[in-house]
């Protein structure tokens, strides 16, 4: 088969010929993608047909090879970068149609040629080109093979996954880190909610407003698997290889698990990676804390009489009585200013974190979050971590890096030992908030819940948190979930933004 003769014919419901060469060229590319994903061995017929399609489009043959990174393709063909960016964003191209629509058209025997007019106006060749491009992104992000992974292979996959995130309208790393909240406003995902890629209202297309929260955790899971297959200690011992690693939650989890077995150069490189990741996450969370709702205005404090606080509308309204019809001027005898001071009372935040292996993501996020709130005025932050033993990490709460290095992942879960440390810290219940982060699969569940209920009845703001992971995923013991709901303190689960909002509202 040659590129100049790549043509396919299908039949309609009456057995007549129905030519749709472009639709079938797309099908060839999709079948080639599926074949590569589920079987690394080449399928000669599909490879030959796909190569003919790609060459006919004027695209490089490397699109079909999972060993060729997207970075390499873009380096050799710079024009492809703009095509990859935002490739899967809704509304990026109003002409995009899914194969589900093609199938519906093929089976509709009542549709005449006149009704098909708008379809014929579409640029079908452009659709094939886009199919080839996002097949490449999916191929490289999902076809990870098996066996040992090198630092170079992990770095290349992270780069390819970043291109997939860029195609979805996100920044590289945002989906895997779960920092996609609000992306609908940035990328236009909200404009076509419920319609997905393509023309608004097109049925059968994926809805990215629901796809993005799902695909992020899956990419993170793939990355975690690659990290586990990597000989991490050997990589960390070589500073040149360690420098090629990109910090991620999956990598940090492995480093925290293995830090006790590292020393010398390997330990120094591990600490550098943890520090980089902590700083990156802290910057994002700090921005979210600053944007969250603050406390109510304190009108007992006179407003500062500076220009930025001037309430111009109120000033004009209050001085309308001084309007001079003869002079046609408004004489102002008093200026009005906005109140900006907010009510603040000394508050105590006690964060209790389950450091068992299943809660790594939550522990990292909440440790960093605690350090940010510790930097707010009049907020006294305490941090307790536990498994079957509890440790008071309050002396290091201002430095999440040092805090994480002092954690010990794994083991069982006995929250009563943590409560024994946390309860004496409650001096003024009405000015105290206790955030308890765990999956609540406890050894002594009934005893622990009784203690938590007593804390709640004393007037403490008690917030049970089942998951503040990067993507908001996690399971919670249903027994605890129901009892927390019954006492009016339902388990908070989901994106960390929810916890940020709850804490900021109470503490400021």
């Amino acid at each position: 088969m040659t590129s100049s003769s790549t043509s396919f014919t299908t039949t309609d419901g009456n057995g007549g010929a129905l030519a749709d060469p472009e639709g079938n060229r797309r099908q060839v590319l999709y079948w080639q993608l599926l074949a590569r994903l589920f079987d690394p061995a080449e399928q000669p017929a599909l490879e030959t047909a796909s190569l003919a399609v790609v060459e006919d489009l004027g695209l490089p043959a490397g699109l079909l090879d999972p060993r060729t990174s997207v970075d390499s393709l873009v380096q050799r063909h710079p024009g492809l970068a703009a095509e990859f960016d935002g490739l899967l964003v809704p509304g990026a191209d109003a002409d995009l149609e899914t194969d589900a629509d093609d199938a519906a058209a093929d089976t509709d025997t009542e549709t005449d040629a006149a009704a098909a007019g708008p379809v014929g106006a579409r640029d079908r060749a452009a659709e094939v080109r886009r199919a080839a491009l996002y097949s490449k992104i999916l191929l490289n992000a999902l076809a990870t093979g098996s066996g040992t992974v090198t630092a170079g292979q992990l770095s290349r996959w992270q780069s390819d996954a970043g291109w997939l995130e860029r195609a979805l309208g996100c920044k590289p790393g945002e989906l895997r880190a779960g920092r996609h909240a609000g992306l609908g406003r940035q990328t236009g995902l909200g404009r076509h909610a419920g319609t997905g890629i393509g023309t608004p209202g097109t049925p059968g297309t994926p809805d990215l407003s629901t796809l993005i929260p799902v695909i992020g955790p899956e990419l993170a899971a793939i990355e975690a698997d690659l990290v586990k297959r990597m000989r991490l200690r050997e990589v960390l011992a070589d500073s040149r290889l360690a420098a090629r690693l990109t910090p991620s939650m999956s990598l940090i989890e492995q480093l925290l698990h293995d830090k006790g077995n590292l020393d010398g150069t390997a330990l120094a490189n591990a600490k550098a990676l943890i520090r980089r990741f902590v700083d990156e996450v802290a910057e994002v969370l700090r921005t979210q804390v600053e944007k969250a709702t603050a406390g109510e205005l304190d009108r007992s404090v006179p407003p500062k009489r500076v220009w930025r606080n001037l309430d111009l509308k109120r000033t004009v309204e209050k001085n309308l009585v001084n309007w001079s019809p003869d002079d046609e001027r408004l004489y102002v005898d008093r200026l009005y200013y906005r109140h900006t001071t907010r009510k603040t009372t000394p508050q105590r935040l006690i964060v209790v974190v389950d450091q068992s292996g299943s809660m790594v993501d939550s522990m990292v996020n909440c440790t960093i979050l605690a350090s940010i709130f510790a930097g707010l005025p009049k907020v006294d932050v305490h941090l307790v971590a536990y498994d079957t033993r509890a440790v008071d990490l309050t002396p290091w709460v201002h430095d999440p890096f040092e805090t994480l290095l002092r954690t010990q992942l794994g083991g069982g879960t006995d929250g009563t030992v943590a409560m024994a440390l946390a309860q004496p810290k409650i001096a003024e219940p009405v000015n105290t908030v206790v955030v308890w982060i765990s999956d609540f699969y406890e050894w002594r569940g009934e005893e622990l819940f009784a203690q938590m209920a007593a804390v709640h009845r004393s007037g403490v703001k008690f917030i049970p948190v089942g998951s503040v992971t990067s993507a908001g995923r996690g399971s919670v013991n249903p027994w605890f979930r129901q009892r927390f709901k019954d006492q009016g303190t339902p388990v908070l689960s989901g994106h960390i933004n929810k916890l940020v909002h709850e804490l900021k509202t109470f503490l400021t």
Side-chain angles (χ1 to χ4, degrees):
M1 182 182 297
T2 63
S3 60
S4 60
S5 61
T6 305
S7 179
F8 304 89
T9 303
T10 59
T11 59
D12 60 20
N14 298 321
L18 182 63
D20 185 13
E22 306 302 344
N24 284 292
R25 278 150 50 104
R26 287 210 319 265
Q27 292 283 3
V28 167
L29 293 172
Y30 295 150
W31 279 113
Q32 191 268 349
L33 168 65
L34 292 173
R36 279 285 195 171
L37 290 177
F38 292 101
D39 186 356
E42 291 188 4
Q43 304 294 325
L46 282 175
E47 295 295 330
T48 301
S50 300
L51 180 61
V53 172
V54 168
E55 290 180 344
D56 190 45
L57 294 168
L59 293 170
L63 284 174
L64 305 174
D65 188 352
R67 295 169 298 181
T68 303
S69 68
V70 179
D71 276 341
S72 297
L73 284 176
V74 170
Q75 186 176 8
R76 297 171 190 169
H77 308 275
L80 291 178
E83 294 190 67
F84 281 125
D85 277 333
L87 183 66
L88 297 173
V89 173
D93 195 316
D95 292 332
L96 189 62
E97 182 190 58
T98 64
D99 293 320
D101 301 322
D102 295 331
D106 290 344
T107 57
D108 187 0
T109 59
E110 299 298 321
T111 302
D112 57 21
V119 177
R122 289 162 38 206
D123 188 348
R124 304 301 294 270
E127 294 177 7
V128 179
R129 185 179 182 88
R130 287 191 294 274
L133 293 174
Y134 58 71
S135 290
K136 172 60 177 176
I137 295 177
L138 293 175
L139 176 64
N140 281 30
L142 302 180
T144 57
S146 59
T148 303
V149 175
T150 66
Q153 288 173 323
L154 176 62
S155 177
R156 193 187 74 175
W157 181 88
Q158 289 173 327
S159 175
D160 288 334
W163 280 104
L164 175 57
E165 290 167 314
R166 288 173 62 170
L168 288 165
C170 308
K171 294 179 181 178
E174 279 188 323
L175 292 187
R176 283 166 285 158
R179 298 194 292 269
H180 54 271
L183 286 176
R185 293 186 296 274
Q186 300 172 19
T187 63
L189 298 182
R191 293 197 306 270
H192 308 318
T195 62
I197 305 171
T199 307
T202 302
T205 56
D207 180 0
L208 286 193
S209 66
T210 56
L211 173 61
I212 279 185
V214 172
I215 199 172
E218 298 307 324
L219 282 177
I222 294 174
E223 184 174 39
D225 177 66
L226 291 172
V227 170
K228 290 178 181 178
R229 286 158 48 192
M230 185 173 60
R231 293 174 180 170
L232 191 55
R233 295 181 196 176
E234 295 179 14
V235 172
L236 291 172
D238 188 328
S239 296
R240 181 180 56 84
L241 293 176
R244 301 180 65 178
L245 295 174
T246 300
S248 64
M249 186 62 75
S250 302
L251 183 58
I252 298 308
E253 179 178 351
Q254 285 298 108
L255 292 175
L256 292 176
H257 271 295
D258 210 32
K259 67 180 186 293
N261 299 316
L262 302 175
D263 56 15
T265 301
L267 182 59
N269 287 329
K271 288 183 176 181
L273 286 166
I274 295 173
R275 170 67 76 181
R276 281 172 57 193
F277 183 78
V278 165
D279 290 345
E280 290 173 4
V281 176
E283 184 63 29
V284 174
L285 292 180
R286 190 173 292 110
T287 301
Q288 294 173 355
V289 169
E290 291 170 355
K291 291 181 178 179
T293 303
E296 62 179 289
L297 293 174
D298 188 351
R299 300 191 180 277
S300 65
V301 178
K304 291 184 179 180
R305 298 177 180 273
V306 294
W307 171 254
R308 68 173 180 271
N309 291 342
L310 178 63
D311 190 338
L312 189 59
K313 181 179 179 181
R314 188 168 175 231
T315 298
V316 171
E317 289 177 348
K318 292 291 185 180
N319 287 278
L320 282 176
V321 294
N322 300 324
W323 168 255
S324 173
D326 296 333
D327 299 338
E328 294 187 349
R329 289 188 177 184
L330 178 66
Y331 292 93
V332 177
D333 56 17
R334 181 181 176 184
L335 297 175
Y336 292 84
Y337 296 87
R338 297 185 185 90
H339 291 267
T340 56
T341 304
R342 298 187 179 275
K343 292 182 179 179
T344 58
T345 56
Q347 306 283 3
R348 175 162 292 185
L349 169 62
I350 303 172
V351 181
V352 183
V353 186
D354 175 357
Q355 65 173 353
S356 61
S358 61
M359 299 297 293
V360 176
D361 204 344
S362 291
M363 186 186 68
V364 171
N365 277 307
C366 289
T367 298
I368 296 171
L369 192 60
S371 72
I372 294 171
F373 277 102
L376 296 180
K378 298 185 178 181
V379 178
D380 181 24
V381 179
H382 295 253
L383 180 62
V384 175
Y386 76 97
D387 42 33
T388 54
R389 295 176 298 175
V391 56
D392 190 346
L393 298 173
T394 303
W396 302 279
V397 72
H398 289 273
D399 190 340
F401 171 71
E402 290 296 333
T403 301
L404 289 173
L405 291 182
R406 284 169 170 77
T407 58
Q408 186 63 48
L409 303 182
T413 314
D414 185 1
T416 58
V417 296
M419 184 61 80
L421 273 181
Q423 210 158 9
K425 296 177 179 290
I426 303 173
E428 300 179 21
V430 294
N431 291 327
T432 302
V433 55
V434 173
V435 178
W436 197 291
I437 301 104
S438 176
D439 54 11
F440 298 102
Y441 285 94
E442 296 281 341
W443 285 2
R444 292 186 279 183
E446 293 188 12
E447 180 181 348
L448 177 61
F449 181 78
Q451 295 173 340
M452 291 175 170
V455 168
H456 172 63
R457 288 193 300 270
S458 71
V460 169
K461 170 74 171 179
F462 188 82
I463 306 177
V465 181
S467 169
V468 287
T469 62
S470 298
R473 298 205 311 180
S475 64
V476 175
N477 185 333
W479 186 89
F480 267 90
R481 183 186 291 277
Q482 184 59 47
R483 277 151 186 78
F484 282 133
K485 183 179 179 180
D486 292 342
Q487 78 168 7
T489 57
V491 174
L492 184 69
S493 294
H495 198 275
I496 195 169
N497 283 353
K498 294 182 181 180
L499 181 57
V500 170
H501 177 78
E502 286 284 331
L503 293 178
K504 190 72 181 290
T505 300
F506 183 82
L507 295 172
T508 61

